[in-house]
Amino acid sequence: MTSSVLAASGGIKQVICINWGTKYGAPFINRLYAMVARNITPPFTFTCFTDNRAGLNPGILCEDLPPLDVEHMPTNTRGIWPKARLWGPTLGKLKGPVLFLDLDLVIVSSLDVFFEIGNADDVVMARNQTTPFERLGQTSLFRFPVGKLVPLQEKFRSDPQGVADEYRYEQRFVSRNAPGGITFFPRKWVLHFRQDCRWPFPLNYLLAPNLPRDARVVIFPRGLHPQHAIDGRYGTKGPRKAPIEHILGVFDAQQRKNKSALQYLRHYIRPTPWVAEHWRE
């Protein structure tokens, strides 16, 4: 039986991503496409809106970045506001609901269920785990019908810096202003690597991060990428350290870099084999 979501897109599961500049590029896009292809029941399409098509898998449908008509994007904000390009009236040849995925997430199980829940006109978001007392969605993974978010794009275009200053993150802007409101995918489907997979201190020195059984997608916000998890590096700089080497660093103020002792000790992970298993072409 075809869900109303799939009926609105002609029975095709439509997955999209966006890429601009040089931070990610073909390696991330190709890995994401491969993960989708391994974890979805056809028919499906995978469309990347990008300013550089070089090196992309031929199975990826490429479209130019949608227009935004903003002269100056917001500054001094942690929001990923170029995603606003996806909120326009059209997205290439796509019609109906699309599932957006960030380039640096890891797919660990079937995506089919993300096209079965809710109605075709719903804006459905992963729940933001870092603010449990705020009804906040996560735009690392969310589903929306093409054209539904036009009012958000118009509001953003009218005052980009003002919107960014008020909401800080694009996900808060979408959560608060999506026409008709938002709903959520089940909490256990989309997990936050640091919040849901990493062990608390001191177990983080003894055990590799865990993959909960019901997980379907694991997101990696705020600078900790899948490769860091594979390597056992908490941050982007410096080589991996042995547990005792990192623990002894608590006595070195320069190595702690203004972190409290407990914060520093928490910022350690062991290499994570299951990320390598899934995050590949």
Side-chain angles (χ1 to χ4, degrees):
M1 179 178 179
T2 303
S3 71
S4 65
V5 177
L6 288 178
S9 57
I12 297 173
K13 302 179 181 78
Q14 301 179 139
V15 180
I16 68 170
C17 67
I18 188 170
N19 174 73
W20 64 89
T22 58
K23 184 176 180 180
Y24 294 104
F28 280 80
I29 302 167
N30 289 339
R31 283 193 194 99
L32 182 61
Y33 170 72
M35 287 189 290
V36 169
R38 287 194 297 269
N39 290 282
I40 202 167
T41 303
F44 77 97
T45 59
F46 182 96
T47 304
C48 181
F49 297 89
T50 181
D51 57 1
N52 185 355
R53 307 182 183 200
L56 294 184
N57 187 299
I60 297 172
L61 303 178
C62 294
E63 296 276 0
D64 293 337
L65 290 174
L68 185 57
D69 192 27
V70 169
E71 185 176 357
H72 299 292
M73 292 295 286
T75 58
N76 300 319
T77 177
R78 300 189 75 171
I80 312 299
W81 295 99
K83 288 182 180 180
R85 290 180 176 275
L86 301 174
W87 306 341
T90 61
L91 281 177
K93 304 177 182 66
L94 302 176
K95 305 290 182 183
V98 295
L99 181 69
F100 171 81
L101 302 176
D102 265 351
L103 295 176
D104 57 355
L105 53 71
V106 176
I107 301 169
V108 298
S109 188
S110 175
L111 296 175
D112 291 350
V113 290
F114 291 99
F115 297 91
E116 296 170 359
I117 193 169
N119 298 312
D121 197 47
D122 290 341
V123 177
V124 192
M125 307 181 75
R127 185 177 288 276
N128 188 290
Q129 298 94 328
T130 59
T131 56
F133 300 109
E134 181 180 6
R135 194 173 187 274
L136 183 62
Q138 172 62 259
T139 58
S140 291
L141 181 154
F142 75 119
R143 197 188 76 215
F144 63 97
V146 174
K148 178 75 177 279
L149 301 181
V150 167
L152 275 68
Q153 190 181 77
E154 293 174 344
K155 183 174 181 178
F156 175 71
R157 282 207 321 257
S158 68
D159 185 10
Q161 190 65 55
V163 168
D165 290 343
E166 178 179 356
Y167 294 94
R168 295 194 65 204
Y169 297 94
E170 85 290 342
Q171 59 204 28
R172 180 172 286 116
F173 181 58
V174 175
S175 299
R176 298 285 175 269
N177 294 277
I182 63 171
T183 59
F184 294 107
F185 293 116
R187 167 71 174 82
K188 294 181 180 180
W189 289 2
V190 184
L191 301 185
H192 188 297
F193 180 78
R194 289 196 308 270
Q195 297 284 338
D196 298 312
C197 303
R198 181 183 53 147
W199 292 95
F201 173 77
L203 293 178
N204 57 320
Y205 290 88
L206 303 173
L207 302 172
N210 178 48
L211 178 61
R213 181 180 60 185
D214 295 329
R216 295 182 179 271
V217 174
V218 180
I219 62 174
F220 287 76
R222 298 189 185 180
L224 200 161
H225 290 162
Q227 190 60 52
H228 303 147
I230 294 169
D231 297 341
R233 292 185 293 124
Y234 190 88
T236 59
K237 297 180 181 178
R240 177 181 178 268
K241 296 178 181 178
I244 188 62
E245 184 181 4
H246 189 269
I247 291 171
L248 292 175
V250 76
F251 302 107
D252 183 342
Q254 184 176 2
Q255 189 167 319
R256 279 169 49 185
K257 297 179 180 177
N258 299 319
K259 297 174 184 176
S260 69
L262 180 58
Q263 184 183 30
Y264 171 83
L265 290 170
R266 289 176 60 240
H267 287 185
Y268 183 86
I269 57 171
R270 295 184 69 89
T272 312
W274 59 260
V275 175
E277 176 186 345
H278 295 284
W279 197 61
R280 59 181 173 81
E281 289 192 38

